[in-house]
Amino acid sequence: MLGVLVRMGAQVREAVDDVEQMEPSGTVEVTGAPLKGTVIQGKEIPQLIDELPILAVAGALASGTTIIRQAQELRVKETDRIAAIAHNLRSMGAQVVELTDGLEIHGRAPLHGARLSSFGDHRIAMAFAVAGLAAEGNTVIRDADCAAVSFPTFFQELNRMAER
């Protein structure tokens, strides 16, 4: 995911502390920078299947077009994540084309607050909570507590970071 964000123009610095576990751990520092659209497809998709909702949000905030292809697996997860992402982004004012195997997101439309659904998917809830921070007005996500499935303190951490 960090590689895609760097390709989009994000300024990311990482320091890996421990590689002996199944997944490396360390520190990641991200500095705000204007993002540009990108294409996410092929060999990247299996590695990013859980991160595609937040990358779609990044695409909506980036200049240009972000295309996600060959991600049809998102249609058969806990929910149809392609449809869920497209619906929520459109509800916030983004221009999105829903494809059979992904999304085409035309960025830089100003996002506005909206009443959204998590569709019972913790990835959707968290991604659109982040989108809500970038939107003008209030964003309410129904069933947002489903985020606790993977990150029980997500909203406390998000609030802490937003207050900085």
Side-chain angles (χ1 to χ4, degrees):
M1 179 173 142
L2 294 177
V4 173
L5 289 173
V6 167
R7 191 168 71 227
M8 293 177 81
Q11 297 176 13
V12 177
R13 207 175 78 206
E14 57 184 305
V16 177
D17 298 331
D18 183 5
V19 292
E20 294 186 23
Q21 303 299 317
M22 284 195 57
E23 299 229 4
S25 65
T27 303
V28 175
E29 183 180 308
V30 180
T31 304
L35 299 178
K36 60 184 183 301
T38 191
V39 176
I40 306 168
Q41 65 183 356
K43 294 178 184 176
E44 285 184 313
I45 293 297
Q47 300 169 342
L48 296 172
I49 207 74
D50 292 332
E51 290 78 11
L52 289 173
I54 191 63
L55 288 171
V57 169
L61 298 170
S63 63
T65 301
T66 295
I67 298 172
I68 300 170
R69 298 300 306 254
Q70 300 168 332
Q72 56 272 19
E73 180 181 340
L74 291 177
R75 295 251 187 226
V76 294
K77 292 292 189 178
E78 290 86 344
T79 187
D80 180 341
R81 287 190 208 148
I82 291 173
I85 293 166
H87 178 271
N88 282 352
L89 283 176
R90 282 190 198 111
S91 295
M92 297 183 86
Q95 297 178 342
V96 181
V97 177
E98 185 176 335
L99 308 168
T100 58
D101 66 342
L103 299 159
E104 182 177 303
I105 304 157
H106 301 278
R108 294 302 260 197
L111 298 183
H112 56 77
R115 296 187 61 79
L116 305 173
S117 176
S118 69
F119 297 89
D121 187 308
H122 53 112
R123 295 160 198 86
I124 300 295
M126 291 186 287
F128 284 92
V130 172
L133 293 178
E136 183 71 33
N138 293 327
T139 297
V140 176
I141 303 168
R142 290 182 300 281
D143 192 24
D145 58 341
C146 68
V149 167
S150 62
F151 193 162
T153 60
F154 174 78
F155 288 103
Q156 291 91 339
E157 292 297 321
L158 187 64
N159 286 332
R160 185 179 62 79
M161 290 173 42
E163 290 172 356
R164 290 185 178 181

